[in-house]
Amino acid sequence: MTNHRTRWGVLSTGHIAGVFARDLALLPDEAELAAVASRTSEKAEKFAAEYGFERAYGSYAELAADPQIDVVYIASPHHDHFDSARLCLQGGKSVLVEKPLTTSAADTEELIKLAERHGLFLMEALWTRTNPLLRKAVQVVRSGELGSVRHLEISFGFRFTGPDDHRLLDPAQAGGAIWDLGVYPAHVSNAFLGEPAELLGFGHHHPRTGVDSHAAALLRFPCTEGDPAPTGSLLATLETDPANRTTVYCTEGRVELDNVVKPDVLKIIRGSGSDAETEEVITQLPGGGYTLQAQEVMFRLRSGELESPLVPWQDTLAVARTLDRWLLAVGDGSRESTRGVDR
């Protein structure tokens, strides 16, 4: 890339694509809203007019072939991520792919190899890992100032009451709690402790569609420097309203994040009992909170890097393996194949 503004393409025109487009518009000195693609020209043209994109395409292939695009944000449903990311990479485009990058570790590894082979940037759009409060919490825990980690607890979810054909409940669109919600606790736990050595998964499935609607996992992480193995518990649910918090318990304190996906407040508790001291760190992100993620992508593109150290390929692949194990432990609930389904 030269020093021109980064030329963005957006693939798909759903809700999250709109939120991301609005946040890109907050970075006029860095980002150019170049083109958008949908399955139909009408949807693409409507989206382009609403958010200020220069060009609109009625197919993903046209977007992938546009020579005036530097990077494509893929915001399609989960089941489409692999095919659309591969299409764009083969078309010479760097890509930012909504979480989860794909719906299997095997597909994730294939995309990483494809990006590396073509010398193109690839990143899973796990915006939480670009959040300054999560980054601060990880730095504090890994520094050892709170002692060694003993346990972490991460819960994320909500009570979903929508129709059975909604993407969250549709197996053909890779619906379910683990792929849509569990990816966040899995990534956050990975940021603190890496890939678990053992995983026990529990849960159940939606009575009509068969997707996993409630899933819990117990984790054991590798031992480090002679310390006992840290443990963890993850929850992803579409059936109830959990705390939606992250807590990491250490021998000499703990850290607490008020929100798993978009933390606004970090508490660092040093010591225990009546001697404990609490430091509170607060942040406020512009727009919908995606500007930092977009800026991270653009910085790495300008630097000529193929991956981001905030969401590195090895961590994305490790999380994909964790999700595979979690799904296997909970059971498939007669889940259908999710690759190549066109909706």
Side-chain angles (χ1 to χ4, degrees):
M1 287 182 60
T2 63
N3 291 324
H4 62 64
R5 292 186 301 161
T6 301
R7 299 168 299 185
W8 283 87
V10 171
L11 186 149
S12 193
T13 54
H15 169 73
I16 195 65
V19 176
F20 189 79
R22 282 195 295 270
D23 277 11
L24 278 182
L26 299 176
L27 305 169
D29 295 333
E30 302 173 67
E32 177 183 327
L33 305 183
V36 60
S38 184
R39 297 291 191 188
T40 68
S41 296
E42 291 77 13
K43 287 183 179 180
E45 289 167 2
K46 181 180 178 181
F47 190 94
E50 181 175 358
Y51 296 103
F53 284 81
E54 297 173 6
R55 299 180 297 283
Y57 297 120
S59 73
Y60 296 167
E62 290 176 278
L63 182 71
D66 186 339
Q68 302 301 313
I69 290 177
D70 300 310
V71 59
V72 175
Y73 170 58
I74 294 174
S76 54
H78 305 333
H79 74 279
D80 178 72
H81 289 179
F82 176 84
D83 287 339
S84 288
R86 182 175 57 182
L87 176 70
C88 291
L89 289 168
Q90 290 173 338
K93 307 296 184 292
S94 292
V95 289
L96 171 68
V97 188
E98 255 311 321
K99 56 76 193 169
L101 186 74
T102 75
T103 55
S104 75
D107 284 353
T108 294
E109 186 172 17
E110 185 173 339
L111 284 188
I112 290 171
K113 289 179 178 178
L114 184 62
E116 188 173 29
R117 187 161 62 248
H118 286 274
L120 294 167
F121 179 87
L122 167 68
M123 182 173 126
E124 183 179 16
L126 209 294
W127 62 317
T128 302
R129 293 190 74 146
T130 69
N131 185 289
L133 293 188
L134 177 63
R135 295 170 63 186
K136 174 67 174 179
V138 170
Q139 183 273 322
V140 168
V141 169
R142 290 192 170 185
S143 73
E145 66 176 275
L146 299 180
S148 56
V149 179
R150 287 294 183 266
H151 186 75
L152 58 78
E153 293 178 351
I154 309 171
S155 62
F156 180 48
F158 53 90
R159 182 171 177 265
F160 181 72
T161 58
D164 289 355
D165 61 354
H166 190 280
R167 66 168 187 84
L168 286 174
L169 299 181
D170 185 359
Q173 297 187 77
I178 291 176
W179 274 332
D180 198 78
L181 307 177
V183 63
Y184 287 107
H187 258 287
V188 172
S189 69
N190 176 275
F192 284 106
L193 292 172
E195 187 171 4
E198 294 182 44
L199 182 151
L200 294 176
F202 308 91
H204 44 262
H205 301 86
H206 191 272
R208 291 179 296 279
T209 71
V211 301
D212 50 289
S213 53
H214 180 85
L218 297 178
L219 312 177
R220 184 183 70 82
F221 295 91
C223 300
T224 57
E225 299 179 359
D227 284 327
T231 57
S233 60
L234 311 181
L235 173 64
T237 181
L238 292 166
E239 296 184 2
T240 187
D241 294 312
N244 288 333
R245 296 176 62 86
T246 296
T247 305
V248 183
Y249 299 94
C250 304
T251 55
E252 298 176 32
R254 67 184 186 276
V255 297
E256 299 176 352
L257 289 160
D258 68 316
N259 187 289
V260 173
V261 174
K262 186 184 176 185
D264 297 309
V265 180
L266 163 65
K267 291 183 179 180
I268 306 170
I269 296 92
R270 297 177 173 89
S272 60
S274 59
D275 296 326
E277 297 181 355
T278 300
E279 174 187 356
E280 194 169 275
V281 186
I282 299 173
T283 192
Q284 185 173 5
L285 302 179
Y290 292 91
T291 53
L292 293 182
Q293 176 177 252
Q295 287 179 311
E296 172 65 11
V297 171
M298 292 186 286
F299 176 77
R300 300 301 164 188
L301 285 171
R302 290 192 297 269
S303 301
E305 299 174 68
L306 303 187
E307 60 181 307
S308 165
L310 300 185
V311 196
W313 291 347
Q314 65 177 10
D315 287 2
T316 284
L317 185 54
V319 169
R321 288 192 294 262
T322 298
L323 298 182
D324 278 357
R325 295 162 69 187
W326 196 355
L327 280 161
L328 182 63
V330 172
D332 65 9
S334 299
R335 181 187 294 277
E336 298 175 16
S337 172
T338 59
R339 188 193 288 187
V341 180
D342 189 8
R343 285 293 178 94

